[in-house]
């Protein structure tokens, strides 16, 4: 077991030259050590004799690394970006951590729902983590994101607090919406995360409005407007897309195509399931939504594109392991083999894990330890969230209006409250 | 054509720029709000002088209702660069009722945005822009078309401040003409105030004169809450003198049109003119009705209304909404809940019939409340 002394984060610790110790490491690790041994290393100061498990921490180097995406991008009336994505070990490690955290949080939400601590609707995002994390890797917190009801992980990706997320799911006052929104209404204004909307497709015009404000104020930022393959058939999406194209609004419409709109497969709902082509005159890109690097590349490309040329559609080909929501087992309209097969072949976390292991940026044990830590973190957050009280009854009437002025009458200058209306 | 000026329309009064020192009434308390906006001339609210006492000042100008709305838009858009206008034909065409004539030349076509015919999504866009800090004014060419945007208005506009735990405010104004016009047909004669009234989180106001149209639109734009401003298709050519100086009307306040002692008539929008026409007849017959234009449809100004009922003990509501689930139905219920002990007679509500508005002129007239019916109702209430 690793000792309690923290591994220094700013550099990769020295590899012990003692072969006796090196031989206790796994073959892969031994090979890595041998590769790194060089004459220059031998002339450095005597190495600290650390046990092999700590001989090399999870790499936080920022040296660029180029990785190929799983599949090339398919595009509609635009030249697709390159398949070669530049990344760094630190970014891959962070992506692994974030996706593992999201996965763990969603599984924990599943258990909480079954324990009846979360009620109502709970739409889980596990399987789709790469979209949230890849998007964050490509943009800043000044860019806006808006999505529908499958919003827990987007909230976390935008810097949302884990305790606030669980508290909101359980309807406690320390939740991110003070317990008044619930699973489908997570927002984080200071991180430009605009939620969190229950009605399918209604967030798409809102997102175009966010982009309108960004253009109006010449902010140089963009809006990522997320919707699903089910919402792709909503009329308001095409209305909003038309206006966005007319006025060259900096909006990126991201279709998270998990191939099932609630219980209906995409081929049963859409005459044309090529959602990236549905923009007609608006360019589109089809992306493997379970490849973190492909998502990052596509979002980076899209951001540069829309700032010059107006809207673009990104279709993220992704998959959700859970059903549509907790009341849907998810196996009546698709086979367990299908779910298991995708988990086996395309899982986003496994893909990044393989990258980290292949490029020697971490060991399997370290990644397992990271996941254990994450599990503990999530459990601690849930315990803390459970301690939070339910909202007080006075909270019922707060925030209906700004300053609750529906119950009060203001002076004509709208500054001073004159009276309370009966 | 509607009467060019109601006999009791307020003449202009010179307004003091500074607000008067507050009168410490037991029900008043001061609380500063987000007072970034420049303070405009203010009235004393409940202590505002009655119509008969408003002095006629020298600095006023005559406008038609649509020009008053236009002036409000120009003033607010000049004062605050985040105010913008979104609607069909508002830009180059100048607005289907000329409310935004010339505005796109003045402010550019991003601030006065011509949209395609897509109410659901351009209302949604306005709400999204409001979430991000702009103050859009969304125009529905006819209020009836905003039924297509009902989801956006109800869920995203009304409920977002609440479901986000207070993170967002939606300072949007949704305005447009509604009501029964001159043989416009059923679908273009809708009264949406009855459908919107139970949406939590929005405020609704109805203007009836050029003076209160300008004042209410300015107040609505400055309000941080979503406000729906109901105009009326037949009132756009009303003429009135309004002050040259800047002024605002209080959004939550009712307007005393004619003080009286015998019974209270509560009305709003176009029905105010039918009421005043009936009042001419009633005064000749010796009655003394008090007429209040409620203006604020959500929330009701139960303070002004209550004071009036405490004085007269009888109430008649005259509205253009349909009988079922209209503003009058809610108002009658609120009056019974709050002022039951003050009432000497059953509160009567005259509303339009529960039918789609017919095209034929005689049938259309039979759908809405006419002055003769108002006279008959007043006589019946006063004799009971």
């Amino acid at each position: 077991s690793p000792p309690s002394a923290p591994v220094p984060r700013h550099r990769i610790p020295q590899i012990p030259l003692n072969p006796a110790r090196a031989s206790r490491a796994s073959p892969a690790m031994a090979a890595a050590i041998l590769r790194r041994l060089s004459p220059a290393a031998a002339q450095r100061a005597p190495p600290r004799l650390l046990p092999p498990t700590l001989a090399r921490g999870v790499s936080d180097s920022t040296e660029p690394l180029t990785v190929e995406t799983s599949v090339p991008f398919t595009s509609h009336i635009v030249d697709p970006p390159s398949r070669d994505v530049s990344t760094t070990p630190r970014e891959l490690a962070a992506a692994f951590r974030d996706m593992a955290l999201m996965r763990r949080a969603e599984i924990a939400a599943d258990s909480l729902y079954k324990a009846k601590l979360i009620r109502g609707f709970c739409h889980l995002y596990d399987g789709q983590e790469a979209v949230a994390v890849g998007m964050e890797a490509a943009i800043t917190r000044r860019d806006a994101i808006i999505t529908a009801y499958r919003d827990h992980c987007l909230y976390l990706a935008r810097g949302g607090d884990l305790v606030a997320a669980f508290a909101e799911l359980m309807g406690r006052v320390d939740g991110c919406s003070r317990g008044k929104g619930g699973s489908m209404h997570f927002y984080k204004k200071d991180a430009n995360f605009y939620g969190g909307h229950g009605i399918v497709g209604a967030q798409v015009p809102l997102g175009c409005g966010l982009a309108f404000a960004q253009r109006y104020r010449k902010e140089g930022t963009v809006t990522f407007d997320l919707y699903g393959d089910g919402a792709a058939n909503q009329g308001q999406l095409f209305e909003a897309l038309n206006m966005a194209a007319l006025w060259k609004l900096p909006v990126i419409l991201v279709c998270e195509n998990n191939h099932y709109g609630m219980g209906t497969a995409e081929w049963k709902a859409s005459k044309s399931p090529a959602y990236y082509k549905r923009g007609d005159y608006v360019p589109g890109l089809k992306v493997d939504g379970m490849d973190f690097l492909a998502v990052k590349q596509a979002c980076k490309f899209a951001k540069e594109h829309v700032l010059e040329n107006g809207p673009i559609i990104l279709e993220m080909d992704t998959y959700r392991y859970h059903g549509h929501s907790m009341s849907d087992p998810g196996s009546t309209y698709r086979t367990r083999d299908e779910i298991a097969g995708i988990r086996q072949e395309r899982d986003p976390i496994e893909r990044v894990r393989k990258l980290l292991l292949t490029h020697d940026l971490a060991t399997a044990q370290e990644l397992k330890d990271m996941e254990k830590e994450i599990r503990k973190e999530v459990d601690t957050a849930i315990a803390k969230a459970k301690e939070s009280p339910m909202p007080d009854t006075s909270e019922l009437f707060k925030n209906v209006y700004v300053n609750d002025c529906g119950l009060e009458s203001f002076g004509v200058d709208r500054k001073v409250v004159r009276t309370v209306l009966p | 054509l509607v009467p060019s000026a109601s006999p009791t329309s307020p003449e202009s009064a010179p307004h003091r720029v500074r607000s008067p020192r507050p009168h410490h009434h037991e029900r008043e308390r001061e609380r500063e709000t987000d007072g970034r906006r420049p303070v405009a001339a203010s009235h004393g609210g409940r202590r505002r002088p009655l119509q008969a006492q408003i002095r006629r000042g020298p600095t006023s100008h005559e406008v038609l209702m649509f020009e008053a709305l236009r002036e409000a838009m120009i003033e607010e858009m000049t004062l605050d660069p985040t105010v913008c206008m979104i609607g069909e034909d508002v830009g180059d065409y100048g607005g289907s009722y000329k409310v935004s004539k010339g505005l796109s030349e003045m402010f550019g076509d991003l601030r006065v945005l011509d949209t395609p015919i897509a109410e659901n999504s351009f209302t949604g866009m306005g709400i999204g822009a409001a979430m991000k800090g702009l103050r859009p004014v969304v125009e529905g060419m006819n209020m009836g078309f905003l039924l297509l945007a009902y989801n956006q208005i109800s869920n995203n506009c009304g409920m977002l401040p609440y479901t986000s735990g207070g993170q967002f405010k939606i300072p949007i104004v949704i305005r447009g003409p509604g009501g029964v016009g001159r043989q416009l047909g059923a679908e273009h004669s809708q009264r949406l105030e009855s459908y919107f009234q139970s949406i939590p989180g929005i405020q609704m106001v109805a203007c009836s004169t050029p003076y209160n149209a300008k004042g209410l639109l300015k107040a609505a734009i400055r309000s941080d809450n979503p406000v729906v401003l109901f105009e009326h298709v037949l009132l756009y050519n009303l003429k009135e003198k309004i002050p040259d100086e800047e002024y605002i009307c209080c959004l939550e306040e009712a307007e005393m049109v004619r003080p009286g002692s015998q019974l209270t008539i509560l009305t709003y929008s176009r029905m105010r003119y039918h009421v005043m026409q009936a009042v001419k007849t009633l005064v000749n017959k010796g009655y003394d009705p008090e007429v209040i234009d409620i203006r604020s449809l959500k929330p009701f100004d139960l303070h002004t209304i209550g004071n009036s009922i405490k004085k007269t003990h009888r109430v008649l509501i005259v509205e253009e909404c349909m009988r079922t689930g209209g503003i009058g139905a809610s108002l009658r219920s609120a009056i019974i809940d709050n002022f039951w002990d003050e009432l000497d007679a059953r509160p009567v509500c005259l509303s339009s019939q529960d039918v789609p508005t017919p095209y034929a002129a005689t049938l259309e007239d039979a759908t809405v409340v006419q002055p003769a019916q108002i006279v008959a109702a007043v006589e019946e209430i006063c004799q009971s």
Side-chain angles (χ1 to χ4, degrees), chain B residues 84-123:
Chain B
C84 55
M85 203 163 169
I86 300 176
E88 295 160 7
D89 282 345
V90 296
D92 294 338
Y93 191 80
S96 45
Y97 293 94
K98 292 176 282 194
V99 171
S100 55
K101 189 148 188 249
L103 258 62
S104 81
E105 282 88 22
M106 284 174 74
F107 298 107
D109 54 11
L110 192 65
R111 283 188 80 183
V112 185
L113 195 62
D114 262 331
T115 64
I117 305 178
E119 282 79 8
N120 191 2
S121 43
F122 72 68
T123 310

Side-chain angles (χ1 to χ4, degrees), chain A residues 176-177 187 189 199 206 209 216-217 236 239 247 396 401-402 405 408 410 412 414-415 417-418 420, chain B residues 27-29 31 33 42 81 111 114 121 124-125 132 152 155 160 162-163 167 202 225 250 253:
Chain A
C176 49
S177 299
Y187 306 89
K189 184 171 185 196
I199 303 295
L206 287 187
Y216 190 99
R217 288 180 153 147
Q236 53 191 322
E239 293 177 14
W247 303 322
L396 182 64
Y401 297 99
V402 174
C405 93
E408 296 163 337
F410 280 79
V412 290
R414 303 210 66 73
K415 282 169 73 180
V417 176
R418 287 190 305 106
V420 177
Chain B
R27 300 187 68 191
E28 271 184 352
R29 57 185 167 83
R31 194 188 71 209
T33 66
S42 65
R111 283 188 80 183
D114 262 331
S121 43
M125 263 187 59
K132 201 149 200 316
Q152 297 288 349
N155 292 336
L160 261 170
Y162 194 81
T163 56
Q167 286 181 68
I202 60 167
N225 292 314
C250 178
E253 202 174 68

